Amino acid sequence: MVERPVASPILRAVGSKSDDVAQPSQWERVGVQRLAWVTGLATISGGLGSLLVLLRQPNLGIRAGTERPLLIPAVWGALSLLTWFALRSNALKPARRLDLGLVYLVVTCFMGGLFRHWLPYAESDVVRGASPVALAVLFFAAVVPVPPFRMAVAAIAASLADVLALACVNQWLVQPSPPWNLWLWLFAPNVFAVAIAIVTSRFLHQLAETVRRVREMGAYRLVKKLGSGGMGEVWRAEHQGLARPAAIKLVRAELLGGDPEKVQRLLTRFEREARATAALTSPHTIAVYDYGRAEDGSFYYVMELLDGLDLETLVARHGRLPPERAVYLLVQICDSLHDAHRQGLVHRDIKPANIMICRQGAERDFVKVLDFGLVKLEPTAQSSDDADDEAKLTAEGTPLGTPAYMAPEVARGNEATPLSDVYAFGCVAYWLLAGRLVFADARGAMGQLVAHGQDPPDSIADHVVLSGELTDLVMACLEKDPAKRPSSMAVVQRRLRDTDLAERWTRTHSHEWWSEVDLPALIESEGELDSSDPALLATMEAPSNE
């Protein structure tokens, strides 16, 4: 039985409950959820109110026989329970259930009025506490998102229900109407409550519309946050016209700190990532659909939504891979990097967390290379403006990338080249085949940098039995001198194919492995990712020396 992987930051929960898509009725569904909470609380309150009335103190001869009846809170509690069941049912559309909630508000105010007015009023009476109708209307307007017009109709009807309750009590008990000087104090709070409820509802509705517009990134609508990191968030999204699922990396300017120059530098880096990735054509590079700036100044770019897990998680959860499977995946990584190098781009942050294996169509173990955020234009491919931008982006003078996979020349502060990606690729191969880092004993980021810059690596043959040609290839990629490494990713790919290992990992093997991985159930059980997820950090954190 294969152990389940952890959820990845950019993935697709096929068939899971978290797969719900935001529709125009989103705020109605929020209203229904809150109504269910309100009616549940009212059910409990009705039961407790009935108990309190049942255990009430005797009136000590004051207006004997006119105590409030136990029936009113009991009936209100029962109606609240029935409404709760109706709201929880899917028999009615959300809009109709919200209408039911407005009716429930009016009925609640009528019964509250009955309870309030049951004792006859005398000329010596003062107002009996706050108006329950005013309190109910204000609470409803503040908690349940309702369009202003519908809230106005419901609030006015609730206030009139209070007057109707007084009339009914006077008719049933054959008692006189309250003195004229009490009418103002009885019903004036309701009038003010109606006005405040309408204003509150209008404000909340405008706020909801503002949030909805902010959540729309170009032609895409944000659906569910998949995770967050130091620089921003990754969201599940869909195209508003085509309903095409996608993943959006969203970088909010306010999360980047107060230095405008640093903010602009980082946003420029993300924009370059989007442009650079979109220019690549390898099927093993994650596809970028769109990028831009939102109304609130956030930068975003839209990627394909992947159904899989990253190589860091794969090995961490399942251990080192069989050589056949590892080579099968490495050949595909070569394809993505060769395409990037051919177009004058250096990735500069190749590591297992930036490489995913996916289920794509009928294919399994389909590789996607992500996170070209540190991509660098080769001098032959960049204009003078690009060169200026490159100088600004690296002005901080720190090596860019992840220390555990950083080429020696980059660790020493030199420029990254395609051969630097070859070295990082060797580190990834080492991780997949041996199940450990090249310098697993090095402590911390600085220890990793020093080890990669100076120390000879242990032969991978010390940790796993491999063919001589595969061992030689991995160790050749890890040469300190770039000139001694394979001259290109195309050469690496050819030497991997010459081992004949990739052909031994068949589609049947892939399908058997993936058939035991229930990603939808896993993702649903994991819930929203947080910044402790290593794959998420790899996707969202600012470029730094880890």
Side-chain angles (χ1 to χ4, degrees):
M1 182 68 178
V2 178
E3 185 182 358
R4 290 179 174 178
V6 297
S8 176
I10 305 174
L11 43 78
R12 182 179 176 188
V14 181
S16 71
K17 291 181 181 178
S18 63
D19 205 32
D20 291 340
V21 176
Q23 300 294 336
S25 60
Q26 175 188 3
W27 299 108
E28 291 175 342
R29 288 203 301 273
V30 171
V32 170
Q33 292 172 358
R34 294 184 181 179
L35 271 173
W37 177 81
V38 169
T39 53
L41 182 63
T43 300
I44 298 174
S45 300
L48 292 177
S50 300
L51 182 62
L52 290 175
V53 173
L54 185 63
L55 299 177
R56 67 190 182 280
Q57 292 289 333
N59 268 343
L60 303 177
I62 302 175
R63 298 184 204 166
T66 60
E67 299 90 346
R68 296 180 176 97
L70 173 65
L71 185 63
I72 294 177
V75 171
W76 178 59
L79 287 175
S80 299
L81 182 61
L82 290 175
T83 306
W84 183 84
F85 277 115
L87 293 171
R88 300 282 293 178
S89 170
N90 291 325
L92 296 175
K93 294 181 178 180
R96 300 288 75 80
R97 279 182 274 174
L98 197 57
D99 289 339
L100 177 63
L102 295 174
V103 173
Y104 170 77
L105 171 65
V106 176
V107 174
T108 292
C109 290
F110 176 73
M111 302 200 73
L114 287 179
F115 196 77
R116 183 191 190 198
H117 302 309
W118 198 265
L119 296 181
Y121 290 94
E123 290 191 13
S124 60
D125 273 345
V126 295
V127 178
R128 300 166 184 166
S131 167
V133 172
L135 294 176
V137 169
L138 292 175
F139 179 77
F140 195 93
V143 172
V144 182
V146 178
F149 177 77
R150 294 164 75 181
M151 187 68 242
V153 172
I156 293 172
S159 297
L160 294 176
D162 192 18
V163 179
L164 178 62
L166 176 58
C168 290
V169 166
N170 290 339
Q171 182 68 27
W172 295 339
L173 301 182
V174 192
Q175 60 188 20
S177 177
W180 66 269
N181 58 330
L182 285 181
W183 279 87
L184 178 64
W185 300 108
L186 286 175
F187 299 112
N190 296 350
V191 176
F192 288 112
V194 169
I196 296 173
I198 294 173
V199 172
T200 301
S201 178
R202 182 176 180 81
F203 172 77
L204 293 178
H205 191 69
Q206 290 175 342
L207 179 62
E209 283 297 306
T210 301
V211 172
R212 182 187 63 80
R213 286 194 297 270
V214 169
R215 286 168 60 95
E216 291 177 355
M217 302 293 157
Y220 289 83
R221 178 186 296 116
L222 302 183
V223 177
K224 178 180 175 62
K225 187 166 74 171
L226 300 177
S228 59
M231 293 181 64
E233 303 161 347
V234 176
W235 284 76
R236 177 187 177 86
E238 70 161 6
H239 192 280
Q240 298 190 59
L242 302 176
R244 176 177 63 183
I248 288 184
K249 181 181 285 189
L250 176 63
V251 186
R252 299 193 187 278
E254 66 269 17
L255 299 180
L256 302 180
D259 184 354
E261 184 177 350
K262 180 181 178 182
V263 169
Q264 186 57 43
R265 186 163 60 246
L266 292 173
L267 289 179
T268 300
R269 177 169 290 152
F270 270 84
E271 186 172 357
R272 290 202 333 163
E273 175 182 356
R275 288 191 285 115
T277 310
L280 301 177
T281 58
S282 169
H284 298 293
T285 300
I286 189 169
V288 172
Y289 302 144
D290 194 8
Y291 72 92
R293 295 283 180 93
E295 292 183 1
D296 64 347
S298 302
F299 176 78
Y300 69 92
Y301 69 92
V302 188
M303 304 165 286
E304 62 180 315
L305 194 64
L306 302 180
D307 176 17
L309 69 160
D310 62 87
L311 296 185
E312 181 174 344
T313 299
L314 176 68
V315 174
R317 284 299 185 96
H318 303 286
R320 64 191 182 203
L321 304 186
E324 298 84 2
R325 190 183 190 190
V327 172
Y328 180 81
L329 300 178
L330 291 170
V331 167
Q332 299 177 67
I333 299 171
C334 288
D335 187 86
S336 173
L337 293 179
H338 176 58
D339 177 47
H341 294 168
R342 192 166 47 86
Q343 298 194 45
L345 302 176
V346 182
H347 190 289
R348 297 203 289 188
D349 199 23
I350 291 297
K351 58 185 176 182
N354 280 345
I355 303 167
M356 288 186 66
I357 55 171
C358 311
R359 303 182 299 188
Q360 188 163 32
E363 294 295 324
R364 303 294 185 266
D365 276 357
F366 196 88
V367 168
K368 289 284 187 177
V369 178
L370 325 174
D371 235 29
F372 282 74
L374 303 186
V375 70
K376 174 183 179 294
L377 291 172
E378 282 282 79
T380 56
Q382 63 181 190
S383 65
S384 59
D385 290 340
D386 289 327
D388 291 341
D389 289 343
E390 178 66 28
K392 292 176 182 177
L393 291 177
T394 58
E396 295 174 0
T398 57
L400 295 176
T402 302
Y405 302 90
M406 189 176 292
E409 62 273 17
V410 178
R412 290 192 289 264
N414 297 324
E415 289 292 328
T417 69
L419 293 177
S420 305
D421 282 350
V422 171
Y423 184 92
F425 174 88
C427 295
V428 172
Y430 203 102
W431 169 258
L432 295 181
L433 291 163
R436 69 197 308 271
L437 297 174
V438 177
F439 295 104
D441 297 330
R443 297 178 62 85
M446 186 55 65
Q448 288 286 345
L449 288 173
V450 172
H452 281 285
Q454 301 177 0
D455 301 340
D458 294 340
S459 172
I460 193 172
D462 296 342
H463 305 288
V464 61
V465 177
L466 300 173
S467 65
E469 52 191 342
L470 183 56
T471 298
D472 292 343
L473 175 58
V474 173
M475 299 312 296
C477 291
L478 295 176
E479 286 285 351
K480 300 295 183 187
D481 184 357
K484 295 181 180 180
R485 298 171 199 158
S487 59
S488 69
M489 292 309 305
V491 172
V492 175
Q493 187 179 51
R494 184 173 64 250
R495 291 180 61 176
L496 285 171
R497 291 190 185 280
D498 288 344
T499 65
D500 294 328
L501 289 170
E503 287 73 18
R504 300 180 192 176
W505 184 259
T506 65
R507 177 177 289 187
T508 300
H509 291 124
S510 298
H511 280 256
E512 287 177 353
W513 191 88
W514 283 97
S515 66
E516 298 189 27
V517 179
D518 187 3
L519 277 179
L522 171 69
I523 296 163
E524 184 175 341
S525 66
E526 289 288 333
E528 182 181 317
L529 302 177
D530 58 37
S531 57
S532 63
D533 189 297
L536 178 61
L537 285 172
T539 303
M540 288 311 308
E541 288 295 342
S544 62
N545 295 324
E546 298 179 353

